[in-house]
């Protein structure tokens, strides 16, 4: 009888030990559902050429195939200086995982868009400013595929019908969204752990994720425009909408900190851009963009 009891206890102990060995240790990074995250970083952009239409009380013309570029800050302390964080091109994003693989976020892509000044673009339309306007003598007239040198004040390639050019006159056009081209958007993204492809032994120390997402939102730029010598509009304004798609690589360290690189492309349509202090004056344009992002972030449960 004593032998049977001893065998029974030994058997129970062995089964319990075996069961404990079979249960794997649950990694914190194995599941994302219920986690929050925040991301901050910088970006560079490329833009497609764009037709930009300018409309006002005394004019309506279109600049064909306008070229533009971003305005990079480079590696600079302003990215982490609270007083100057809006000066460089930045990205801020707050998100929540509603499942292990999917997250929803809100964020701001603070981009900058600058019309290239060293370009000659064709202009179509008309300008009929009042005679007492300083720009009237320089720019009044009908424009039919007329080439305009954007780098000069009061000068048009080939001259006017009256031969009027004046390098010291008011600029025909300077145009930029530098404070900035603010894309306020929401995204839905997917995350997939690909650490096994790199044979990482412990994903709670280093984990590699692949991420893709789609987004949509509004454009809220502060446009800096010098147009025919008029006083510029100097305030933020909802000007249109945008849609975007992205793909990126996320490297998470010690469960809670990560470095993320993204390639992001999209379409922007701004149909109500404020250009001067007059409510009669506005511009419209649409274009494609390609954005490169490097960001740091944190992920946690509350």
């Amino acid at each position: 009888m004593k032998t049977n009891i001893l065998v029974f206890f030994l058997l129970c102990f062995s089964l319990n030990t075996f069961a404990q060995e079979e249960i794997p240790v649950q990694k914190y990074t194995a599941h994302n559902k219920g986690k929050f995250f925040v991301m901050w970083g910088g970006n560079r952009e490329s833009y497609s050429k764009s037709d930009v239409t300018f409309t006002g009380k005394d004019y309506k013309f279109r600049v064909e195939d306008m070229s533009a570029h971003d305005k990079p800050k480079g590696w600079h302390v302003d990215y982490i200086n609270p007083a100057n964080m809006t000066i460089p091109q930045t990205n801020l994003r707050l998100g929540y995982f509603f499942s292990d693989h999917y997250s929803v976020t809100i964020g701001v892509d603070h981009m900058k868009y600058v019309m290239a000044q060293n370009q000659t673009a064709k202009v179509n339309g008309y300008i009929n400013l009042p005679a007492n306007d300083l720009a009237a003598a320089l720019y009044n007239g009908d424009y039919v595929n007329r080439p305009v040198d954007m780098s000069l004040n009061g000068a048009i390639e080939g001259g006017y019908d009256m031969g009027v050019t004046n390098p010291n006159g008011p600029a025909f056009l300077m145009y930029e969204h530098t404070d900035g081209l603010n894309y306020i958007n929401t995204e839905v993204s997917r995350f997939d752990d690909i650490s096994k492809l790199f044979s990482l032994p412990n994903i709670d120390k280093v984990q590699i994720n692949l991420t893709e997402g789609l987004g949509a939102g509004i454009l809220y730029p502060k446009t800096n425009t010098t147009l025919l010598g008029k006083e510029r509009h100097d305030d933020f304004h909802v000007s249109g909408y945008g849609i975007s798609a992205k793909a990126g690589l996320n490297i998470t360290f010690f469960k809670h900190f990560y470095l993320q690189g993204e390639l992001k492309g999209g379409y922007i349509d701004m149909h109500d851009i404020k250009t001067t202090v007059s409510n009669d004056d506005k511009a419209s344009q649409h274009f494609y963009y390609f954005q490169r992002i490097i960001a740091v972030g944190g992920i946690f449960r509350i």
Side-chain angles (χ1 to χ4, degrees):
M1 183 65 178
K2 292 183 179 180
T3 302
N4 292 338
I5 294 174
L6 180 60
V7 170
F8 175 76
F9 277 108
L10 288 174
L11 181 61
C12 290
F13 178 78
S14 299
L15 290 173
N16 185 54
T17 303
F18 178 76
Q20 288 180 351
E21 290 176 351
E22 287 297 310
I23 298 175
V25 177
Q26 189 65 262
K27 300 294 186 183
Y28 179 85
T29 51
H31 296 284
N32 289 320
K33 185 177 181 180
K35 293 179 182 177
F36 292 85
F37 60 92
V38 59
M39 186 178 84
W40 173 261
N43 63 66
R44 290 294 310 271
E45 293 90 43
S46 300
Y47 302 107
S48 66
K49 290 185 176 181
S50 174
D51 295 344
V52 186
T53 300
F54 295 88
T55 305
K57 181 180 178 181
D58 303 307
Y59 62 89
K60 184 175 183 179
F61 62 88
R62 183 176 67 253
V63 179
E64 310 279 355
D65 291 332
M66 177 189 288
S67 297
H69 55 80
D70 65 349
K71 191 176 181 181
K73 185 76 173 180
W75 297 100
H76 203 280
V77 70
D78 282 349
Y79 284 98
I80 57 174
N81 182 350
N84 296 324
M85 278 184 168
T86 61
I87 295 177
Q89 299 172 169
T90 55
N91 299 79
L92 172 64
R93 191 156 296 280
L94 305 173
Y96 173 74
F97 279 98
F98 58 88
S99 76
D100 282 346
H101 291 288
Y102 287 95
S103 69
V104 60
T105 65
I106 57 172
V108 179
D109 293 6
H110 179 71
M111 302 178 281
K112 294 181 184 290
Y113 178 103
V114 181
M115 181 192 77
Q117 287 299 125
N118 58 338
Q119 66 175 299
T120 298
K122 291 182 179 180
V123 176
N124 285 285
Y126 71 90
I127 300 174
N128 187 27
L129 301 174
N132 60 351
D133 193 309
L134 293 176
L138 295 173
Y139 302 121
N140 276 359
D142 293 324
Y143 291 72
V144 180
N145 289 328
R146 182 181 289 187
V148 177
D149 186 344
M150 298 294 172
S151 64
L152 299 178
N153 291 353
I156 287 187
E157 188 176 295
Y160 287 89
D161 294 338
M162 298 176 62
V164 178
T165 60
N166 180 5
N168 299 315
F172 183 85
L173 177 66
M174 294 178 64
Y175 180 76
E176 55 189 49
H177 313 291
T178 49
D179 200 22
L181 185 64
N182 299 309
Y183 176 40
I184 303 172
N185 62 92
T186 183
E187 288 181 349
V188 175
S189 301
R190 179 178 172 89
F191 281 74
D192 290 286
D193 183 0
I194 58 171
S195 303
K196 290 182 179 179
L197 298 178
F198 300 91
S199 301
L200 297 179
N202 187 348
I203 59 175
D204 273 357
K205 290 184 177 180
V206 180
Q207 181 188 40
I208 300 179
N209 298 283
L210 190 64
T211 179
E212 316 87 29
L214 298 174
I218 62 170
L219 271 298
Y220 190 57
K222 188 175 184 180
T223 303
N224 181 359
T225 303
T226 302
L227 173 64
L228 304 174
K230 296 176 178 290
E231 184 180 351
R232 72 184 180 96
H233 183 270
D234 192 21
D235 205 354
F236 294 99
H237 178 70
V238 176
S239 299
Y241 70 91
I243 56 176
S244 55
K246 71 173 187 180
L249 197 66
N250 170 290
I251 305 176
T252 300
F253 303 95
F254 304 109
K255 305 179 185 179
H256 300 293
F257 309 100
Y258 67 84
L259 176 68
Q260 187 161 312
E262 295 180 355
L263 298 178
K264 186 173 185 178
Y267 170 79
I268 287 173
D269 188 324
M270 293 192 292
H271 54 272
D272 188 22
I273 303 167
K274 295 297 184 183
T275 54
T276 77
V277 293
S278 172
N279 290 329
D280 294 324
D281 297 332
K282 70 176 185 177
S284 62
Q285 68 176 140
H286 56 86
F287 55 89
Y288 296 94
Y289 73 94
F290 180 63
Q291 187 177 181
R292 288 83 72 194
I293 302 168
I294 297 179
V296 295
I299 181 169
F300 51 88
R301 280 194 175 95
I302 296 180

